[in-house]
Amino acid sequence: MKLTKTKDNSYTFFNEKYQEAYHSLTGALEEAQKKYIEPLGVKDGQVILDICFGLGYNTFAAIEKAKHLKVIALEIDEEILKELQSLEINNKYNIIKKIAREKYYKDKNYEITLLLGPAQETIKTIKETFDIVFLDPFSPKKNPELWTKEFFQEIFNRMKPGAKLATYSCARAVRENLKEVGFIVTDGPSVKRRGPSTIAEKPSL
Ligand SMILES: C[S@@+](CC[C@H](N)C(=O)[O-])C[C@H]1O[C@@H](n2cnc3c(N)ncnc32)[C@H](O)[C@@H]1O
């Protein structure tokens, strides 16, 4: 796992097994902010599903933005949860480090649970329904099990009517799978790259 500085001066890691970085090299924390937090309109009181916790930047950006949040995060790799302990960002990131160690955190503003294991399995144990979903696996080529219609159906079933999901990918096959399970798919922002990201909304009743 190689620590890499990105263009907004925040750090990410490069994963040798997947041969991919955990974030866009144009800016790791900027990516969390611009592709997930802003387009989804994260606000106080929401229930959030963070698929692929990694360094926890998406949950971190959410708790920087809002309070009274309940977050369930999914991650398969204990190794990255150990690696992130070396990052020094600020006090709020210490919450992320604690979750990575203890898999659960609760104070008056946040209740955060981290489920360790393959997301395509752990998602089936979740009874909660969500306002907001971050979908942030490695690329469809490297991490195909998290871009399937079957997995999207499990996500869809756990979203409230009108809830929104964001992902960085705009791949046609990804968007087709999202549409086939019933999402309304629109362009998200393009952040220093040619293609847009994707927003998928569960229709209101
Ligand atoms: C692009 S990184 C996520 C970056 C993360 N959202 C962040 O802000 O740091 C992809 C993550 O997906 C995890 N992952 C890959 N396959 C998985 C699976 N089947 N279930 C759960 N997590 C998985 C990887 O271990 C990695 O941490």
Side-chain angles (χ1 to χ4, degrees):
M1 214 78 87
K2 192 167 150 255
L3 190 63
T4 309
K5 193 173 191 176
T6 68
K7 290 206 173 114
D8 67 353
N9 291 327
S10 63
Y11 285 88
T12 191
F13 285 94
F14 184 82
N15 186 302
E16 304 291 342
K17 180 177 147 214
Y18 288 90
Q19 285 293 304
E20 277 184 20
Y22 283 75
H23 299 93
S24 161
L25 299 179
T26 61
L29 279 175
E30 179 191 63
E31 182 176 32
Q33 193 60 37
K34 297 265 170 67
K35 290 189 194 157
Y36 295 92
I37 307 306
E38 286 176 14
L40 291 175
V42 170
K43 56 177 194 273
D44 293 358
Q46 288 179 325
V47 186
I48 298 176
L49 177 60
D50 181 4
I51 302 172
C52 294
F53 184 78
L55 313 187
Y57 281 4
N58 293 337
T59 290
F60 171 58
I63 65 176
E64 289 257 273
K65 174 82 203 305
K67 43 191 180 5
H68 306 306
L69 298 178
K70 181 166 188 176
V71 181
I72 298 183
L74 312 181
E75 173 56 52
I76 198 170
D77 184 17
E78 186 76 58
E79 196 54 38
I80 188 64
L81 303 177
K82 292 199 179 110
E83 294 281 355
L84 69 80
Q85 301 296 330
S86 66
L87 298 173
E88 296 296 339
I89 301 181
N90 63 17
N91 254 345
K92 276 262 166 82
Y93 195 72
N94 290 339
I95 296 181
I96 298 298
K97 290 185 181 180
K98 194 163 197 283
I99 299 155
R101 288 192 304 270
E102 298 175 9
K103 315 292 181 282
Y104 183 72
Y105 177 87
K106 189 170 180 176
D107 66 15
K108 65 179 188 337
N109 286 318
Y110 310 111
E111 182 177 12
I112 306 170
T113 307
L114 175 56
L115 301 178
L116 195 65
Q120 65 277 25
E121 299 305 325
T122 52
I123 195 168
K124 294 177 186 160
T125 67
I126 300 175
K127 301 277 182 286
E128 205 73 49
T129 52
F130 298 94
D131 300 293
I132 295 286
V133 179
F134 308 140
L135 176 66
D136 197 12
F138 290 119
S139 66
K141 210 164 131 198
K142 302 280 173 65
N143 223 177
E145 71 277 19
L146 298 185
W147 301 98
T148 63
K149 225 167 35 174
E150 291 69 27
F151 185 56
F152 290 167
Q153 185 70 60
E154 298 290 346
I155 301 172
F156 187 90
N157 292 347
R158 289 165 179 79
M159 289 170 69
K160 298 176 188 173
K164 285 183 183 166
L165 167 154
T167 186
Y168 66 86
S169 175
C170 65
R172 196 161 63 171
V174 167
R175 289 186 167 193
E176 287 308 314
N177 283 349
L178 287 166
K179 284 182 197 158
E180 279 190 42
V181 303
F183 283 109
I184 300 161
V185 173
T186 52
D187 285 350
S190 7
V191 183
K192 295 183 188 151
R193 54 176 269 183
R194 251 174 286 157
S197 55
T198 295
I199 304 296
E201 181 175 346
K202 179 167 176 164
S204 303
L205 292 175

